[in-house]
């Protein structure tokens, strides 16, 4: 009945959790395929599965997932047959893909003890997965496959209600090298020196000078990244300021960008950013 | 050949663009169903369609989309038959749904003139849409439907390459009332007074005190929102600080929250936030 077992990259909770195995499940947990809410580890009796003590953030599994949340590191999710969801295998284990830890918090469980909770959102890595939409589409279109209509209707309604309302204002992506740039600058913004304190350390964002993906299409590498606080990241992405090839700050910010001796910024990309925001 | 026509909510570009109609298309534009990159309006000869002058950000269509980008307001997208994509209707127009403007920038087009460009990502509102994945899945699974295998394989590869790498670190959602709270505070952070300057005005974020969506499940309304700068939004969401029922700032920030006389904050939700981050 242990809810999940966290395997740190290096065997501890200091660098985020590499993978979790879902098995069993608490009453308030749910698994919508692309979105999972799950309860942390610890505090339960191994033989009865009952919660008999508080869960803690110092538990390596919980600490690791909280670090994954703060750093934006993906977690590999594996579903076991005993995990209560329609995405679980009939026996053994299946790989569910990479998930982002988009929220973590604590609350008092039905047992009266403190539990640590996590919300995970699918972010890729499993080409064979079926989305809830695909499953539901099949069930609605093909009555021969519809084994339990009422339950599925209920699931569908539940899913609609559970989905957060509103449209996306900003998506901040985290990448392999984004983490490296943050460590190089010890999470201090290259514009204002701010390092955002969190419960598990410091927070900064890796800002791509020339954006990833279409149509800008640059690679993720150190020479295309800046370490910025969220305020200066928003301003940089929106072109409120730019950085000249001599590292002078232009626009709504004055002064000079702080640049570490090991950080060889691609000046063509600074020029590209200036060009796309009208600074040339 | 006019690329799109922007219809402001009030007929001008000051409150974002309510809807765009896609027709024709530039060489570098693409439409992957869920992700569209499109070129702005203006500067082209109406009869030949050729670019004969720079596009400008003062064009109401371009200004409106840039405001939609800064404010996170959704844009309704309509595809015309002349729009070059496999999602376009054979004749007339189809509704594609609500899209977020996730990026806007300027560049020099093949004509040598400046063009304004936008990246749009599907965010809901069209239950009948087919995703690229669904189209491809159908084509791969059902050979009778596979009219042009080579082209589809090419599309698939293109799509994979065009997708931004990395995992999601933060998703900031914008909602109906998030906009109201920003206006009430004139985009000034209730913690530090900062208002982030952008090219088209000011930027702030509406922070939900008790999060929207499962499993927290609060509604989007003014009494559950704070107007915060991105730095304090990150810190609030991560529990680096909390707000007591007397509006005292707790944790990594000191002082008192600024509260407008018309802003009746739900104190139960402040308590909920404190509880979920261990402040009680």
């Amino acid at each position: 009945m242990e809810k999940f077992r966290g395997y740190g990259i290096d065997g501890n909770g200091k660098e985020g959790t590499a993978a979790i195995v879902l098995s069993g499940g608490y009453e308030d947990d749910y698994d919508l395929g692309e979105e999972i809410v799950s309860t942390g580890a610890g505090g339960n009796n191994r033989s009865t599965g009952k919660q008999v003590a508080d869960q803690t953030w110092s538990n390596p599994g919980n600490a690791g997932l909280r670090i994954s949340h703060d750093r934006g590191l993906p977690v590999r999710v594996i579903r076991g047959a005993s995990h209560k969801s329609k995405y679980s295998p009939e026996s053994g284990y299946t790989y569910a893909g990479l998930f982002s830890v988009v929220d973590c918090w604590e609350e008092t469980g039905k047992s009266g003890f403190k539990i640590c909770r996590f919300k995970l959102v699918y972010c890729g890595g499993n080409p064979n997965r079926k989305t809830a939409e695909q499953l539901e589409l099949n069930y609605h279109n093909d009555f021969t496959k519809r084994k339990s209509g009422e339950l599925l209707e209920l699931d569908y309604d539940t899913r609609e209600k559970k989905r957060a309302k509103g449209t996306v204002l900003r998506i901040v992506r985290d990448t392999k090298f984004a983490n490296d740039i943050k460590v190089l600058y010890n999470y201090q913004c290259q514009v204002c020196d701010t390092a955002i304190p969190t419960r598990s350390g410091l927070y900064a964002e890796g800002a791509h000078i020339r954006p990833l993906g279409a149509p800008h299409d640059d690679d993720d590498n150190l020479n295309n990244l800046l370490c910025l606080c969220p305020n200066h990241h928003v301003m940089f992405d929106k072109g409120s300021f730019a950085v000249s090839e001599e590292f002078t700050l232009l626009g709504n910010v004055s002064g000079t960008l702080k640049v570490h001796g090991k950080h060889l910024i691609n000046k063509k990309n600074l020029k590209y950013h200036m060009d796309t925001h009208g600074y040339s």
Side-chain angles (χ1 to χ4, degrees), chain A:
Chain A
M1 271 298 266
E2 190 175 7
K3 189 59 201 64
F4 69 71
R5 295 167 62 195
Y7 299 97
I9 289 165
D10 58 352
N12 63 47
K14 287 183 186 157
E15 297 184 21
T17 292
I20 61 172
V21 177
L22 300 172
S23 56
Y26 280 68
E27 272 185 73
D28 291 339
D29 290 357
Y30 65 82
D31 183 346
L32 304 172
E34 293 159 273
E35 186 181 312
I36 297 169
V37 168
S38 184
T39 301
N44 48 8
N45 181 302
R46 294 222 168 199
S47 52
T48 66
K50 271 198 178 167
Q51 201 70 25
V52 293
D54 285 346
Q55 293 188 344
T56 65
W57 291 108
S58 57
N59 174 293
N62 303 337
L65 279 178
R66 185 151 81 159
I67 287 170
S68 302
H69 174 231
D70 279 339
R71 302 278 188 276
L73 301 171
V75 176
R76 286 145 200 84
V77 173
I78 294 145
R79 291 187 179 96
S82 69
H83 171 59
K84 289 163 196 156
S85 95
K86 62 181 176 187
Y87 304 95
S88 305
E90 286 188 29
S91 63
Y93 297 90
T94 50
Y95 179 60
L98 292 168
F99 282 69
S100 292
V101 186
V102 297
D103 199 3
C104 71
W105 69 97
E106 62 190 54
E107 62 188 50
T108 301
K110 297 201 170 151
S111 61
F113 293 104
K114 186 178 96 173
I115 53 175
C116 301
R117 305 200 76 206
F118 303 93
K119 183 168 174 173
L120 310 167
V121 171
Y122 177 74
C123 60
N126 180 4
N128 301 318
R129 90 197 157 94
K130 291 205 170 178
T131 65
E133 266 165 347
Q134 284 168 339
L135 283 175
E136 279 148 17
L137 211 68
N138 289 341
Y139 280 114
H140 283 290
N141 290 346
D142 183 351
F143 285 86
T144 62
K145 287 184 187 165
R146 200 167 175 172
K147 286 173 190 163
S148 170
E150 269 180 274
L151 185 65
L152 284 160
E153 293 290 348
L154 186 68
D155 278 0
Y156 189 79
D157 288 349
T158 308
R159 182 163 187 267
E160 284 303 302
K161 252 198 317 211
K162 282 181 188 279
R163 187 182 281 168
K165 291 165 196 163
T167 58
V168 170
L169 178 63
R170 283 187 75 217
I171 298 177
V172 181
R173 286 186 190 280
D174 213 58
T175 57
K176 183 179 181 309
F177 290 105
N179 203 45
D180 294 347
I181 200 84
K182 294 178 207 173
V183 170
L184 183 65
Y185 285 95
N186 196 26
Y187 297 88
Q188 287 187 291
C189 176
Q190 289 182 250
V191 171
C192 69
D193 286 336
T194 299
I196 302 286
T198 70
R199 310 306 290 280
S200 65
L202 296 170
Y203 176 92
E205 289 172 2
H208 288 88
I209 300 169
R210 180 174 177 138
L212 290 184
H216 309 291
D217 265 341
D218 204 60
D219 288 331
D220 178 40
N221 58 61
L222 276 181
N223 69 24
N224 186 41
L225 279 160
L226 299 177
C227 177
L228 297 177
C229 70
N231 282 0
H232 284 119
H233 191 182
V234 167
M235 289 174 72
F236 187 73
D237 281 356
K238 291 185 179 295
S240 307
F241 77 93
V243 182
S244 80
E245 288 161 275
E246 296 77 36
F247 304 140
T248 305
L249 300 172
L250 309 169
N252 275 297
V253 179
S254 58
T256 307
L257 189 79
K258 280 127 193 142
V259 183
H260 191 286
K262 288 185 183 168
H263 187 197
L264 305 173
I265 295 174
N266 182 334
K267 295 187 176 183
K268 278 187 192 165
N269 288 355
L270 289 176
K271 177 78 169 53
Y272 181 89
H273 176 266
M274 281 196 287
D275 288 348
T276 54
H277 294 289
Y279 280 91
S280 37

